[in-house]
Amino acid sequence: MTEKTFPLNHEQLEAAARRFGTPFYIYDERAIRENMRRFTKAFGIFPSFKEYFAVKACPNPYILKILASEGAGADCSSLPELILAEKAGMSGENVMFTSNETPEKEYIYANLKGNVINLDDISHIAYLEKALGALPELLCFRYNPGPLKEGNALIGKPEEAKYGLTREQIFEAYRVCKNKGVKRFGLHTMVASNELNPDYFVETAELLFTLAAELKRKEGVRIEFVDLGGGIGIPYRPGQKAVDYEYVAQRIRAAYDEIIVPAGLDPLAVAWECGRPITGPYGWLVTRALHEKHIYRDYVGVDASMADLMRPGMYGAYHEVTVSGKENAARDRVYDVVGSLCENCDKFAVQRELPEIVPGDLLIIHDAGAHGRAMGFNYNAKLRCGELLLRTDGSIVQIRRNETVDDYFATLDFAGLGAFTV
Ligand SMILES: *Cc1c(COP(=O)(O)O)cnc(C)c1O
């Protein structure tokens, strides 16, 4: 038995697999909408609230369009992500450009579109000014609290992280920008990834609220929004507990009343840049078992690989695996579930208790709706799989086709090969 759910029954999934071929990602529109509404409702207790969905988590314009219709903006970190958000209808200040090591032309594009630019370093003030001719009216800075804040496993200790400005630099940055005529300011941080401890986010908010109050007192700078970044985790493993949005929102609201209101900063907008908790639990990778192999261990070889879903191979990340139609069968076998890459880390599950699996079975890899297809790659000339969307009316549409051999060869010049003498 598993606590994880999947929106299609065995017959429906078999039908989808026959129609579209395997492997594929499938996302549940209804569940994504309901989750986004719960998130927005919980944080609606602030005078103004915005979720900038981290595009990198699920860079598909159909998903972005759904989220935009639920009020989300986008958090982007590259020119293609900016364009993707725009195509999905997210524009102007609904787009946060939280990038690092950013080339000039990307700042120029973001500025042209009226997106919010979030600078990652003090030296980027001069770089931006030179690129644009003048600084924009609105600027945000990414704060790195260093030893003031404990890190978490995925992102590491803040003082070892490449991101953001130090505490000293933050004061100088806002002072310089104010003197250069910047009128509106945001303050941002992101210090964790896949964190399940709700109190961690309350502490992060307290840290930013306190800093916003100090910036007003010391530099006369009025911060208009605080962006708490992403980092809200999801319960990948059985028994883990999801972050309670309402608890986090209410505790952050208490910190707001304690710090922001007396500092004269009310109304202050509160923002998130979450990706993982928004779509992660509502996307699945579906793959068919091709082979079984019994050597020193028992293996199930599937038609997806680490090129489709990198997290287990890269981080040793846990993803629940279920077998369609065998949800209630006893988990009395132990398998490594593996892909076809010539890398031994290409394993979706290691020494996992599962029901007996035979070639042809459909395996469902759970919690793959964020940082899943997005992190795919083409090593070993593996062609990445497509994406399906289960609509609220029960229909299934393809929102990204599978890659083809031509896609893989698209950057190569075979026409010129004949004239290339060796
Ligand atoms: C990755 C990232 C996010 C989103 O993180 P999730 O863990 O998907 O919520 C948000 N902001 C920044 C700057 C990021 O790098």
Side-chain angles (χ1 to χ4, degrees):
M1 276 300 287
T2 172
E3 359 169 342
K4 298 286 179 191
T5 59
F6 183 69
L8 300 178
N9 65 31
H10 183 61
E11 287 68 36
Q12 290 167 325
L13 183 60
E14 271 296 350
R18 277 195 303 275
R19 182 170 157 212
F20 297 102
T22 55
F24 56 78
Y25 276 86
I26 185 164
Y27 306 97
D28 183 345
E29 176 178 358
R30 181 191 305 276
I32 290 173
R33 285 188 182 278
E34 284 173 0
N35 178 51
M36 184 62 205
R37 283 174 204 171
R38 278 197 304 121
F39 193 71
T40 311
K41 183 159 177 272
F43 288 95
I45 57 174
F46 293 97
S48 170
F49 166 70
K50 190 83 198 175
E51 152 67 1
Y52 302 98
F53 177 72
V55 171
K56 73 168 187 233
C58 195
N60 186 298
Y62 289 78
I63 300 293
L64 297 182
K65 194 168 176 181
I66 290 168
L67 292 171
S69 79
E70 296 292 344
D75 163 38
C76 302
S77 64
S78 64
L79 181 61
E81 285 187 355
L82 289 171
I83 296 170
L84 202 51
E86 190 183 2
K87 284 189 184 294
M90 295 154 153
S91 62
E93 290 184 12
N94 281 328
V95 176
M96 190 71 194
F97 189 38
T98 300
S99 57
N100 62 95
E101 315 319 328
T102 313
E104 199 178 57
K105 68 170 184 201
E106 302 198 354
Y107 281 136
I108 293 171
Y109 187 88
N111 185 58
L112 201 70
K113 297 292 177 177
N115 304 147
V116 185
I117 294 178
N118 188 11
L119 293 182
D120 188 62
D121 188 50
I122 193 155
S123 68
H124 298 168
I125 300 170
Y127 185 86
L128 186 68
E129 194 175 21
K130 186 159 168 283
L132 304 184
L135 292 176
E137 183 191 272
L138 168 64
L139 262 185
C140 184
F141 286 94
R142 180 171 185 163
Y143 173 49
N144 181 331
L148 285 180
K149 178 89 183 155
E150 269 181 40
N152 87 335
L154 257 196
I155 223 171
K157 290 183 180 171
E159 67 265 40
E160 291 171 8
K162 66 173 181 172
Y163 308 107
L165 288 76
T166 67
R167 196 178 142 78
E168 275 183 0
Q169 289 171 339
I170 275 282
F171 287 93
E172 190 187 336
Y174 286 93
R175 189 186 318 134
V176 167
C177 288
K178 190 183 165 211
N179 291 338
K180 284 182 179 287
V182 177
K183 296 274 180 301
R184 300 166 54 208
F185 295 97
L187 175 62
H188 168 276
T189 199
M190 161 117 185
V191 285
S193 187
N194 195 26
E195 178 62 55
L196 284 172
N197 175 6
D199 294 318
Y200 194 93
F201 303 104
V202 181
E203 285 166 28
T204 303
E206 284 168 352
L207 201 75
L208 286 190
F209 289 165
T210 306
L211 186 57
E214 274 185 277
L215 281 165
K216 175 155 186 277
R217 209 168 58 239
K218 293 186 182 156
E219 308 294 346
V221 163
R222 193 190 191 289
I223 299 292
E224 69 173 52
F225 72 88
V226 154
D227 181 339
L228 300 167
I232 295 182
I234 58 173
Y236 287 102
R237 286 177 181 273
Q240 285 181 328
K241 197 171 165 297
V243 171
D244 180 340
Y245 300 154
E246 268 166 23
Y247 170 86
V248 173
Q250 279 159 16
R251 292 240 10 237
I252 294 179
R253 176 70 217 204
Y256 182 101
D257 291 336
E258 206 170 289
I259 303 166
I260 293 302
V261 175
L265 283 170
D266 179 50
L268 172 85
V270 171
W272 283 102
E273 287 174 356
C274 287
R276 194 186 313 268
I278 304 298
T279 54
Y282 317 110
W284 299 262
L285 173 59
V286 175
T287 180
R288 209 183 274 282
L290 292 179
H291 304 283
E292 58 179 304
K293 170 166 178 164
H294 306 282
I295 48 172
Y296 307 103
R297 285 183 178 181
D298 295 319
Y299 293 90
V300 172
V302 298
D303 60 6
S305 79
M306 187 183 168
D308 299 298
L309 177 66
M310 183 199 239
R311 298 188 73 258
M314 178 151 114
Y315 308 121
Y318 184 98
H319 281 262
E320 184 69 306
V321 176
T322 56
V323 185
S324 184
K326 297 185 179 176
E327 289 80 2
N328 299 318
R331 293 192 165 217
D332 56 2
R333 304 295 160 102
V334 174
Y335 293 113
D336 281 13
V337 178
V338 303
S340 56
L341 232 60
C342 304
E343 292 286 341
N344 196 41
C345 63
D346 186 10
K347 297 185 175 186
F348 292 112
V350 177
Q351 294 296 281
R352 185 77 59 87
E353 288 180 7
L354 287 163
E356 182 180 19
I357 296 171
V358 295
D361 278 348
L362 286 172
L363 275 62
I364 300 160
I365 302 175
H366 295 255
D367 299 307
H371 310 288
R373 175 63 178 72
M375 281 175 125
F377 56 100
N378 284 125
Y379 184 59
N380 264 178
K382 292 296 170 189
L383 305 175
R384 288 166 292 188
C385 70
E387 297 175 296
L388 308 178
L389 179 68
L390 175 63
R391 304 292 325 259
T392 51
D393 65 3
S395 64
I396 296 175
V397 290
Q398 190 173 50
I399 57 172
R400 187 197 296 267
R401 64 165 172 79
N402 306 339
E403 281 182 334
T404 64
V405 174
D406 285 340
D407 293 326
Y408 183 75
F409 288 158
T411 51
L412 296 174
D413 177 17
F414 290 108
L417 191 64
F420 177 69
T421 50
V422 289

